[in-house]
Every structure is written in structure tokens, then in C-alpha cells.
Amino acid sequence: MSVTIAGLARAGGVGVETVRYYQRRGLMPTPDGTGGVRRYGETEARRLRFIRSAQAAGFTLEQIGELLALDAGHDHARARALAQERIAELDVRIAELETARAALRRLAQKCGAAGNGPCPILAEFDG
């Protein structure tokens, strides 16, 4: 595989500016260009997929940078610790979302049972 930045971006499902942003952040290398054209290979495509997968799991770009650095050193304990930290953050967020869902369900039931007058959902948000 030897592609331009546009081909790399397409292969990674991102825009060219996203690849450039990752380069500025030090997450992606910027290859030397021959004749002014920079070429990317499978290594860069794999790294881009890694970044996107880690982002989908909710890791920050800083954490992704650390995970990329750990990959070279095979530091399983630190990678596991980062994953456990992320799990704890997700657990908090899930609890918040479950609370919000329960509140919305109660309001939707009140709204369905309400006759005339103000909508309980709108009244709650106005409140």
C-alpha cells in the first residue's frame, strides 16, 4: 500500500484535516515526500485505525498517545490501568444516562396521562 494523505484518510474513514491534526498532535507520523508528495503505507493505516478504535472506546487523544507509546514497550499493566480508568469513567456516565432515562420516562408517562393544561415535560424543563 502506498497512498497519499487523501487515500490514507479515506482508508481510515476520516478527513484529510483529521490526519493532519493527528500529525500535529504527534499521534501520526509525517513522512518525507519525494517530489513533494508524501506517501503512506500500511503501518500508517494501521496506526490510524488504532487511533479511531481507541477514540470509539472513549479514550482521549492524550491517552491514545500513551497507548501508542506503550505498544512499543509492551507495558500490559499500564495499558490495563488505562482501560480500567476508562471503564470507571464509562460506569459513571452510564449511571448518569440511566438516571436521565428514568426521569424522561416518568415525564413521558405524566405527559401521556395529563389532560388539559401545560405539558409536564415542558413544565419540568421550564421550572
Side-chain angles (χ1 to χ4, degrees):
M1 172 181 181
S2 177
V3 296
T4 63
I5 193 168
L8 176 67
R10 205 171 20 262
V14 299
V16 169
E17 286 306 312
T18 300
V19 174
R20 288 188 177 125
Y21 178 71
Y22 293 159
Q23 289 172 331
R24 286 191 302 273
R25 295 291 303 261
L27 299 173
M28 292 287 301
T30 304
D32 294 329
T34 18
V37 178
R38 295 183 172 140
R39 306 298 289 181
Y40 298 84
E42 186 55 40
T43 301
E44 290 83 12
R46 191 170 43 256
R47 178 169 268 224
L48 183 56
R49 286 190 298 269
F50 179 96
I51 294 167
R52 299 297 293 157
S53 294
Q55 279 186 308
F59 285 101
T60 66
L61 292 180
E62 290 77 20
Q63 291 169 326
I64 293 169
E66 187 173 351
L67 286 169
L68 287 165
L70 291 175
D71 183 48
H74 304 290
D75 189 345
H76 296 244
R78 181 62 188 142
R80 185 174 49 255
L82 282 170
Q84 289 169 335
E85 289 171 19
R86 185 63 196 133
I87 290 168
E89 292 167 2
L90 287 171
D91 287 343
V92 168
R93 184 71 178 130
I94 289 167
E96 291 169 349
L97 289 170
E98 287 174 341
T99 299
R101 181 179 57 197
L104 283 172
R105 276 194 178 136
R106 282 191 300 278
L107 288 171
Q109 288 172 347
K110 280 184 182 180
C111 185
N116 293 334
C119 171
I121 294 172
L122 300 177
E124 178 73 22
F125 292 158
D126 192 31

